[in-house]
Protein backbone atom coordinates (compact mmCIF):
# COMPACT_ATOMS: atom_id res chain seq x y z
CA UNK A 1 0.00 0.00 0.00
CA UNK A 2 1.47 3.33 -1.00
CA UNK A 3 1.26 6.54 1.04
CA UNK A 4 -1.68 7.92 -0.96
CA UNK A 5 -3.76 4.76 -0.41
CA UNK A 6 -2.86 4.74 3.28
CA UNK A 7 -3.92 8.38 3.70
CA UNK A 8 -7.15 7.72 1.81
CA UNK A 9 -7.94 4.76 4.12
CA UNK A 10 -7.20 6.86 7.21
CA UNK A 11 -9.40 9.70 5.93
CA UNK A 12 -12.31 7.26 5.41
CA UNK A 13 -11.85 5.91 8.94
CA UNK A 14 -11.69 9.36 10.55
CA UNK A 15 -14.69 10.61 8.56
CA UNK A 16 -16.76 7.78 10.05
CA UNK A 17 -15.66 8.58 13.60
CA UNK A 18 -18.42 10.35 15.49
CA UNK A 19 -17.99 12.24 18.72
CA UNK A 20 -20.28 11.72 21.69
CA UNK A 21 -21.73 15.17 20.99
CA UNK A 22 -22.54 14.19 17.39
CA UNK A 23 -24.06 10.91 18.65
CA UNK A 24 -26.30 12.94 20.99
CA UNK A 25 -27.37 15.22 18.13
CA UNK A 26 -28.26 12.17 16.01
CA UNK A 27 -30.33 10.65 18.83
CA UNK A 28 -32.10 13.94 19.54
CA UNK A 29 -32.93 14.53 15.87
CA UNK A 30 -34.06 10.99 15.09
CA UNK A 31 -36.01 10.53 18.32
CA UNK A 32 -38.08 13.64 17.61
CA UNK A 33 -39.21 12.01 14.36
CA UNK A 34 -39.50 8.39 15.48
CA UNK A 35 -40.42 8.75 19.18
CA UNK A 36 -42.20 12.10 19.54
CA UNK A 37 -43.86 10.96 22.79
CA UNK A 38 -40.43 10.46 24.48
CA UNK A 39 -38.68 13.43 26.09
CA UNK A 40 -34.87 13.43 25.95
CA UNK A 41 -32.92 15.82 28.20
CA UNK A 42 -29.14 16.15 28.10
CA UNK A 43 -27.71 16.30 31.62
CA UNK A 44 -24.63 18.35 32.31
CA UNK A 45 -23.29 17.20 35.65
CA UNK A 46 -19.92 18.51 36.70
CA UNK A 47 -20.71 18.19 40.39
CA UNK A 48 -21.43 14.45 40.47
CA UNK A 49 -19.03 12.33 38.47
CA UNK A 50 -20.44 9.22 36.82
CA UNK A 51 -24.02 10.44 36.35
CA UNK A 52 -25.22 9.43 32.85
CA UNK A 53 -25.53 11.93 30.02
CA UNK A 54 -29.22 11.75 29.16
CA UNK A 55 -32.52 11.57 31.05
CA UNK A 56 -35.42 10.11 29.06
CA UNK A 57 -39.09 10.13 29.97
CA UNK A 58 -40.73 7.41 27.87
CA UNK A 59 -44.29 7.14 26.55
CA UNK A 60 -45.42 5.52 29.84
CA UNK A 61 -43.93 8.29 32.00
CA UNK A 62 -41.03 6.12 33.19
CA UNK A 63 -37.60 7.67 33.55
CA UNK A 64 -34.41 6.21 32.08
CA UNK A 65 -30.80 7.30 32.44
CA UNK A 66 -28.57 6.79 29.41
CA UNK A 67 -24.80 7.02 29.22
CA UNK A 68 -23.52 7.79 25.72
CA UNK A 69 -20.18 6.57 24.46
CA UNK A 70 -18.51 6.92 21.08
CA UNK A 71 -15.62 4.56 20.43
CA UNK A 72 -13.58 3.12 17.58
CA UNK A 73 -12.24 -0.07 19.18
CA UNK A 74 -13.80 -2.65 21.46
CA UNK A 75 -13.05 -1.11 24.89
CA UNK A 76 -16.10 0.54 26.46
CA UNK A 77 -14.06 3.45 27.87
CA UNK A 78 -16.26 3.74 30.95
CA UNK A 79 -14.65 5.65 33.81
CA UNK A 80 -14.43 4.22 37.33
CA UNK A 81 -17.10 6.75 38.40
CA UNK A 82 -19.46 5.61 35.63
CA UNK A 83 -18.94 1.95 36.48
CA UNK A 84 -19.61 2.70 40.15
CA UNK A 85 -22.82 4.58 39.27
CA UNK A 86 -24.14 1.68 37.19
CA UNK A 87 -23.22 -0.90 39.83
CA UNK A 88 -25.16 1.11 42.44
CA UNK A 89 -28.11 1.48 40.05
CA UNK A 90 -28.02 -1.96 38.43
CA UNK A 91 -31.74 -2.49 39.12
CA UNK A 92 -32.76 0.87 37.64
CA UNK A 93 -33.79 1.93 34.14
CA UNK A 94 -30.17 2.85 33.42
CA UNK A 95 -28.53 2.15 30.08
CA UNK A 96 -25.29 2.48 28.17
CA UNK A 97 -25.54 3.29 24.46
CA UNK A 98 -22.28 2.89 22.56
CA UNK A 99 -21.69 4.21 19.06
CA UNK A 100 -18.90 2.16 17.47
CA UNK A 101 -17.20 3.36 14.34
CA UNK A 102 -13.90 2.63 12.70
CA UNK A 103 -12.63 -0.44 10.96
CA UNK A 104 -14.25 -1.82 7.87
CA UNK A 105 -17.73 -2.47 9.31
CA UNK A 106 -20.52 0.08 9.12
CA UNK A 107 -21.01 2.08 12.34
CA UNK A 108 -23.11 0.27 14.93
CA UNK A 109 -24.99 1.14 18.12
CA UNK A 110 -24.74 -1.25 21.08
CA UNK A 111 -27.19 -1.08 24.01
CA UNK A 112 -26.36 -2.45 27.48
CA UNK A 113 -28.36 -2.45 30.72
CA UNK A 114 -26.77 -1.12 33.93
CA UNK A 115 -26.67 -4.66 35.33
CA UNK A 116 -24.17 -5.56 32.58
CA UNK A 117 -21.63 -2.86 33.44
CA UNK A 118 -19.00 -5.11 35.04
CA UNK A 119 -19.01 -7.51 32.10
CA UNK A 120 -18.91 -4.55 29.70
CA UNK A 121 -15.98 -3.02 31.60
CA UNK A 122 -14.08 -6.33 31.46
CA UNK A 123 -14.94 -7.56 27.97
CA UNK A 124 -15.76 -4.36 26.13
CA UNK A 125 -18.09 -4.80 23.17
CA UNK A 126 -17.45 -8.53 23.28
CA UNK A 127 -19.93 -8.57 26.18
CA UNK A 128 -23.39 -9.68 25.02
CA UNK A 129 -25.52 -6.53 24.48
CA UNK A 130 -29.29 -6.21 24.88
CA UNK A 131 -29.21 -5.27 21.22
CA UNK A 132 -26.99 -4.03 18.43
CA UNK A 133 -28.09 -2.06 15.39
CA UNK A 134 -26.43 -0.68 12.30
CA UNK A 135 -26.43 3.09 12.46
CA UNK A 136 -27.95 3.46 9.00
CA UNK A 137 -31.71 3.14 9.20
CA UNK A 138 -31.89 2.54 12.94
CA UNK A 139 -35.44 2.23 14.23
CA UNK A 140 -35.47 3.79 17.70
CA UNK A 141 -38.86 2.20 18.46
CA UNK A 142 -37.18 -1.20 18.13
CA UNK A 143 -34.41 -0.08 20.49
CA UNK A 144 -37.00 1.01 23.09
CA UNK A 145 -38.88 -2.25 22.64
CA UNK A 146 -35.74 -4.22 23.52
CA UNK A 147 -35.09 -1.92 26.46
CA UNK A 148 -38.63 -2.35 27.80
CA UNK A 149 -38.29 -6.12 27.53
CA UNK A 150 -35.05 -5.95 29.50
CA UNK A 151 -36.15 -3.20 31.90
CA UNK A 152 -35.60 -5.25 35.04
CA UNK A 153 -32.13 -6.45 34.06
CA UNK A 154 -30.94 -9.88 32.92
Amino acid sequence: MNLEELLSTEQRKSSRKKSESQFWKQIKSQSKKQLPQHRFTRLESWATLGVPDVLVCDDEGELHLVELKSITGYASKLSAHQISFFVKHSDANAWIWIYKSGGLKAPQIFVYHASQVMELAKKGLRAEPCGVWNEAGIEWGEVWGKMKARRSGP
Side-chain angles (χ1 to χ4, degrees):
M1 183 179 288
N2 65 32
L3 182 59
E4 189 174 296
E5 290 171 328
L6 181 62
L7 288 174
S8 175
T9 301
E10 289 303 310
Q11 286 174 339
R12 279 196 313 275
K13 285 182 184 177
S14 67
S15 70
R16 288 195 305 229
K17 185 177 179 185
K18 183 178 288 199
S19 71
E20 188 178 298
S21 177
Q22 291 169 318
F23 184 29
W24 162 243
K25 287 177 185 174
Q26 173 190 0
I27 291 166
K28 189 175 176 181
S29 169
Q30 291 178 349
S31 65
K32 281 183 181 178
K33 296 173 191 165
Q34 295 184 24
L35 299 167
Q37 68 281 19
H38 288 62
R39 294 179 301 280
F40 289 72
T41 304
R42 181 78 187 234
L43 302 175
E44 298 294 336
S45 179
W46 303 283
T48 309
L49 297 174
V51 173
D53 302 310
V54 181
L55 176 67
V56 183
C57 182
D58 70 17
D59 58 337
E60 296 174 4
E62 293 206 29
L63 297 176
H64 303 262
L65 289 166
V66 179
E67 176 62 37
L68 303 177
K69 287 291 176 193
S70 180
I71 63 173
T72 56
Y74 285 90
S76 64
K77 304 221 174 160
L78 292 166
S79 72
H81 295 287
Q82 291 166 331
I83 293 167
S84 176
F85 180 92
F86 284 109
V87 166
K88 288 178 188 173
H89 298 88
S90 63
D91 59 344
N93 290 331
W95 305 91
I96 303 157
W97 292 1
I98 301 175
Y99 176 89
K100 184 190 182 304
S101 61
L104 300 175
K105 284 188 170 182
Q108 295 177 302
I109 297 171
F110 292 74
V111 175
Y112 293 90
H113 185 265
S115 62
Q116 299 174 278
V117 72
M118 293 305 294
E119 183 182 8
L120 179 59
K122 288 177 191 170
K123 295 181 180 178
L125 294 185
R126 290 177 180 89
E128 185 70 29
C130 294
V132 60
W133 292 266
N134 287 328
E135 175 197 25
I138 188 167
E139 291 292 331
W140 289 100
E142 183 182 333
V143 175
W144 280 100
K146 287 264 189 175
M147 289 171 60
K148 283 183 177 184
R150 182 77 181 241
R151 201 172 264 171
S152 60

